[in-house]
Amino acid sequence: MKLVSEILDISTRGILINQQDSRSIGVREGDRALVTNLKTKETVTIQVAVTETLADVGTAKISLASAENLGIDAGDEIEIRAAPRPESIEFIRKKMDGGRLTREETSKIVSDMTGNILSPSEITAYITAAYINGMNMDEVEYLTREMVASGDKITFSKRPVVDKHSIGGVPGNKITLISVPIIAASGLLIPKTSSRAITGAGGTADLMEALAPVSFSSSEIKKMTEKAGGVIVWGGATNIAPADDMIIKYEYPLKIDARGQMLASIMAKKMAVGSDTCVIDIPVGAGTKVADEKEGQVLANELIELGRRLGIRVECAITYGGAPIGRNIGVNLEVAEALRILEGGEGATSLIQKSCAIAGIALEMTGKAAPNKGSDLALELIKNGKAHEKMMQIIDIQGGDSKIKSGDLMFGSFTFDIPSPCDGYIISVKNRDLIDIARLAGSPVEHGAGLHLHKKPGEQVKRGEPLLTIYAEKEWRLTQAIESARVSRPVLVEGMLLSRIPKQPME
Amino acid sequence: MKLVSEILDISTRGILINQQDSRSIGVREGDRALVTNLKTKETVTIQVAVTETLADVGTAKISLASAENLGIDAGDEIEIRAAPRPESIEFIRKKMDGGRLTREETSKIVSDMTGNILSPSEITAYITAAYINGMNMDEVEYLTREMVASGDKITFSKRPVVDKHSIGGVPGNKITLISVPIIAASGLLIPKTSSRAITGAGGTADLMEALAPVSFSSSEIKKMTEKAGGVIVWGGATNIAPADDMIIKYEYPLKIDARGQMLASIMAKKMAVGSDTCVIDIPVGAGTKVADEKEGQVLANELIELGRRLGIRVECAITYGGAPIGRNIGVNLEVAEALRILEGGEGATSLIQKSCAIAGIALEMTGKAAPNKGSDLALELIKNGKAHEKMMQIIDIQGGDSKIKSGDLMFGSFTFDIPSPCDGYIISVKNRDLIDIARLAGSPVEHGAGLHLHKKPGEQVKRGEPLLTIYAEKEWRLTQAIESARVSRPVLVEGMLLSRIPKQPME
């Protein structure tokens, strides 16, 4: 049937037609239609929405994305007819019914997903089914390969190409800013793509952005890495494994992180940037994604096996994730803490040790360091200034100011000290509550916002001494962060009153 | 944060904001925001979409539905802030993780679904999880009760109130047009709500619409039923169990019909119209929803148990669904076939017998007929003209022409006979192919379109005699229906060439 088009200025793809027309065409809401631009004769498949009032009979409202795809302007005539159901829906049904997907079936699902043939609901059904019924290693491998195939792939002529990854969930984990320049300073290539904070106080891409631009194409990443040895860029700006980004987007509202998809997600990014050697940091403990060391070992073995199938050597480091890494949380606070270590080798022991341990594994895997000597070499590359020099080179090549010093990073001028309510030793700190306080103070959007932890577990404190200092760029944000800290009490001191009935805010 | 609103003329609910604003607010695509109309101070929860280009920083594009909900006009200022995740998502996660939902959890999911708090993707995740992990009878009961609570409920002062339902999947199943007037003619109340065709050639509501309007509110349904004894209306026009309609809408793209949701769907509609006595027809056989009699018995027991929990007496009839009921498929063709039987008791034996059997069970359950005498009484009510008189009264009260005769219904003027390719007996007819032919001919949108089956299984045919006649209102539709019939060969004659290599269309 012929309809006259109107353009709808929205981001989702779709075509909105009157109920009466939908019945004549023989499509229902959620069906797909073949829409032909009658000027160009080009045809695309678009999902149909049906309305009784919002589109007149004889007209079709086409979303901007779909209209651009078809080269349609307002007033143009289109031909619309029912399209067959995409085959990929049968494969989603197969997964819902407990089946195992083949490479070809996975390929069809992924290409229909990135081609906007599948709707958000259908993609969610796939993700939900894979979450409930699980994926075996064959299926995970297929998904990883299809994620890689969905976007750009970088190939370096020089080898080895190193990558690192952290499973996440630990606040203040700025080790990438230290370990990447160490690895690059040793003469290895490391094209590191990172994410922004989703529910955290700052992802590595958010931190790096305080120093230099982070949005680059895959060919720019390749060129910069070949020149400087390493980069630290935002993965979301590239067209690397876009199918992975889509899956993460649809997992987000359900707060799921299905094992199979997580494995595929990690390894697809590594494979697509051309990495052949990979170190993966698996923090375990309360508040992290991995409950304990045993579960961490299972995950490590899965990552190693998946890497083997994909031609990537993987080693994993199971680390303690029950407390923040270093003492600062928030963009400029974390960046300053990392730069200070690179500048002179001074700073929180937990941060220096972990950064050197992770970098050291890469140095050992690639033969840059002898077995068990990787961490020592990493520390040496910090102490002799090579890692700092490399970091400045990376900042420079990404278009940042390579003269920057840790002291140049500004912290919010509104500050507040949370004092210890009593004498005693620190029992524990609550990662999630610290993150929430930093976010309420404005992190990661406001770079000066965050917190500094004066005391970590095992340390002694006297009544009235500050447990943590909150920084904010806006007074109202400081107020709400203080309120949150008073209620959640993120740092527990032995001997502290844990609750009082009736309940009162902490003194 | 404050934003200036623009109105987006689309049917889905949502608010589209710039990525930069989304980061300041602390929401991501798919999150919910609390949006306050700064004129009225009214606040509603709306799902957020994020764009880099389609909304300027400082502006928010609000969908028409959400804007009307908030009383917002273009240019109005709104306040927007991050909303907590709805609790119902935790319950969906519970179902994804194999848990059993309580009444309260089910209630929260259903109310957030109908209240547009849950997104289509989240509703799909719930449906997918319930499909994969199944629901026990407690969960089905809770879902049924919540579906009823989601909309209007009719209460009659007179009892019993009868209802009937057919599980569907059988073409030409116009028995409601015969059994409802029989039941009403016996003095019982039967407020029958029906559906339109989804993938069939005509639902009961589509058929009835050829005789009278079918869209009424629940209070109109009550009044009309009290006056005429019965009605045959479209369930989709009422506000009866709207949660059920939503679930069906989201099941549709995945072509699933999960058992628990199907049970709840059937019984919620019955309970909401105030029915206390219910006859359910379960057709079994190839092409129906129920594979065999054994599976039909399991389903029957589940329906009876669910009815018991809800205070509805249920009896089920397992019927043969392997061939069409009667000989006509398509709106006017089916209506004419049903009216002809009511007018004089003449017509296809399968149709008369099945209609009387179903009506007869209701007559026995309510004491209108002695045990095993229901079918006889039903046939008597056809023969003595009472059922016809009642049908005309129902047509009249719904606003149709009560003088209508079966001969008044026009069939498409473009017709074609599909001849038998050889002498022999009919082995089988293929339901799905017959439906496809009728749909291609224009049914149910074009009332005159459809087909008449000259021969049914077991009947003898001579070469060249017509197996079926196709009717269409438009010549091109007739052509495509003939093409389909030639390829699918829906009526198989013993001795017929089943395939020929290389493949050729049927002579």
Side-chain angles (χ1 to χ4, degrees), chain A residues 165-339:
Chain A
H165 184 85
S166 180
I167 300 294
V170 184
N173 196 3
K174 69 283 288 177
I175 68 157
T176 297
L177 297 185
I178 302 170
S179 57
V180 167
I182 294 173
I183 291 167
S186 79
L188 296 163
L189 295 182
I190 179 160
K192 174 75 185 122
T193 62
S194 298
S195 56
R196 292 190 183 279
I198 296 176
T199 55
T204 299
D206 295 312
L207 303 188
M208 187 65 190
E209 205 172 27
L211 297 169
V214 293
S215 296
F216 297 98
S217 70
S218 55
S219 64
E220 288 169 327
I221 292 170
K222 186 185 176 201
K223 269 182 231 153
M224 294 190 302
T225 304
E226 280 169 342
K227 271 193 197 159
V231 292
I232 301 171
V233 299
W234 178 36
T238 67
N239 186 37
I240 287 173
D244 174 41
D245 298 337
M246 285 191 88
I247 289 176
I248 290 171
K249 176 178 161 183
Y250 291 111
E251 282 189 330
Y252 172 70
L254 301 167
K255 291 264 187 291
I256 57 172
D257 194 2
R259 177 63 69 93
Q261 275 125 341
M262 184 178 89
L263 294 170
S265 171
I266 294 169
M267 295 309 292
K269 298 283 191 200
K270 307 307 165 209
M271 190 176 171
V273 296
S275 155
D276 51 56
T277 304
C278 188
V279 186
I280 298 175
D281 167 26
I282 304 177
V284 300
T288 69
K289 288 189 188 175
V290 183
D292 53 33
E293 201 178 331
K294 201 176 151 198
E295 204 192 300
Q297 275 159 351
V298 172
L299 177 58
N301 285 330
E302 288 172 340
L303 286 162
I304 289 166
E305 165 61 12
L306 181 56
R308 191 191 62 72
R309 289 166 172 244
L310 302 170
I312 302 174
R313 283 174 59 216
V314 173
E315 288 196 20
C316 298
I318 296 178
T319 58
Y320 174 67
I325 310 301
R327 292 185 182 268
N328 287 4
I329 300 173
V331 176
N332 283 357
L333 279 142
E334 293 192 44
V335 171
E337 192 176 21
L339 282 190

Side-chain angles (χ1 to χ4, degrees), chain A residues 8-11 23 28 31 54 61 64 85 93 97 121 124 131-132 198 206 252-255 445, chain B residues 8-11 23 28 31 54 61 64 85 93 97 121 124 131 198 206 252-255 445:
Chain A
L8 212 50
D9 198 12
I10 55 169
S11 54
R23 298 194 77 204
R28 297 180 75 209
D31 278 338
L54 295 172
K61 291 190 171 175
L64 190 59
R85 265 158 57 86
R93 275 293 305 272
D97 291 331
S121 284
T124 302
Y131 172 82
I132 297 175
I198 296 176
D206 295 312
Y252 172 70
L254 301 167
K255 291 264 187 291
V445 175
Chain B
L8 212 51
D9 197 12
I10 55 170
S11 53
R23 298 194 76 203
R28 296 182 76 211
D31 279 337
L54 294 172
K61 290 190 171 176
L64 190 60
R85 265 158 57 87
R93 275 294 304 272
D97 291 331
S121 283
T124 302
Y131 172 80
I198 296 176
D206 295 311
Y252 172 70
L254 300 167
K255 291 264 185 296
V445 175

Side-chain angles (χ1 to χ4, degrees), chain B residues 183-388:
Chain B
I183 290 166
S186 79
L188 295 164
L189 296 181
I190 179 162
K192 173 75 186 123
T193 62
S194 298
S195 57
R196 292 190 184 278
I198 296 176
T199 55
T204 299
D206 295 311
L207 303 187
M208 187 64 190
E209 205 172 27
L211 297 169
V214 293
S215 296
F216 296 98
S217 69
S218 55
S219 64
E220 287 168 328
I221 292 170
K222 184 183 180 206
K223 267 183 231 154
M224 293 190 302
T225 304
E226 282 170 340
K227 269 192 196 162
V231 292
I232 301 170
V233 299
W234 178 36
T238 66
N239 186 36
I240 287 172
D244 174 41
D245 299 335
M246 285 192 89
I247 289 177
I248 289 171
K249 177 179 160 184
Y250 291 110
E251 283 188 329
Y252 172 70
L254 300 167
K255 291 264 185 296
I256 56 172
D257 194 2
R259 176 64 67 94
Q261 275 126 340
M262 184 178 89
L263 294 169
S265 171
I266 295 168
M267 295 309 292
K269 298 283 190 199
K270 309 306 164 208
M271 190 175 171
V273 297
S275 155
D276 51 56
T277 304
C278 188
V279 186
I280 298 176
D281 167 26
I282 304 177
V284 300
T288 68
K289 289 190 187 173
V290 183
D292 54 31
E293 200 177 332
K294 201 175 152 199
E295 203 192 302
Q297 275 160 352
V298 172
L299 177 59
N301 285 330
E302 288 171 343
L303 286 162
I304 290 165
E305 165 62 12
L306 181 56
R308 191 191 62 72
R309 287 165 174 245
L310 303 170
I312 301 174
R313 283 173 59 217
V314 173
E315 287 196 19
C316 297
I318 295 178
T319 59
Y320 174 67
I325 310 301
R327 294 185 181 266
N328 287 4
I329 300 173
V331 176
N332 283 358
L333 279 142
E334 293 192 44
V335 172
E337 192 177 21
L339 282 190
R340 206 158 48 237
I341 287 169
L342 290 172
E343 285 164 2
E346 295 293 313
T349 317
S350 65
L351 179 55
I352 298 174
Q353 284 187 344
K354 186 167 173 186
S355 303
C356 288
I358 297 294
I361 292 172
L363 300 179
E364 291 174 19
M365 285 174 80
T366 53
K368 291 284 174 186
N372 296 315
K373 297 291 176 195
S375 192
D376 294 348
L377 174 57
L379 189 60
E380 196 186 313
L381 289 167
I382 293 179
K383 294 213 162 145
N384 66 17
K386 293 258 169 78
H388 182 261

Side-chain angles (χ1 to χ4, degrees), chain B residues 64-134:
Chain B
L64 190 60
S66 297
E68 282 175 352
N69 199 7
L70 251 184
I72 284 277
D73 294 316
D76 283 354
E77 266 202 338
I78 54 164
E79 168 76 31
I80 178 167
R81 57 192 200 282
R85 265 158 57 87
E87 213 187 353
S88 49
I89 292 184
E90 294 312 316
F91 307 145
I92 294 174
R93 275 294 304 272
K94 182 179 172 186
K95 193 70 218 168
M96 287 170 68
D97 291 331
R100 296 288 175 201
L101 298 180
T102 65
R103 172 89 196 251
E104 290 66 33
E105 290 162 349
T106 306
S107 169
K108 201 84 188 64
I109 290 172
V110 170
S111 64
D112 281 358
M113 196 165 75
T114 52
N116 292 294
I117 304 288
L118 288 172
S119 72
S121 283
E122 290 153 357
I123 297 171
T124 302
Y126 165 62
I127 290 168
T128 304
Y131 172 80
I132 297 175
N133 290 330

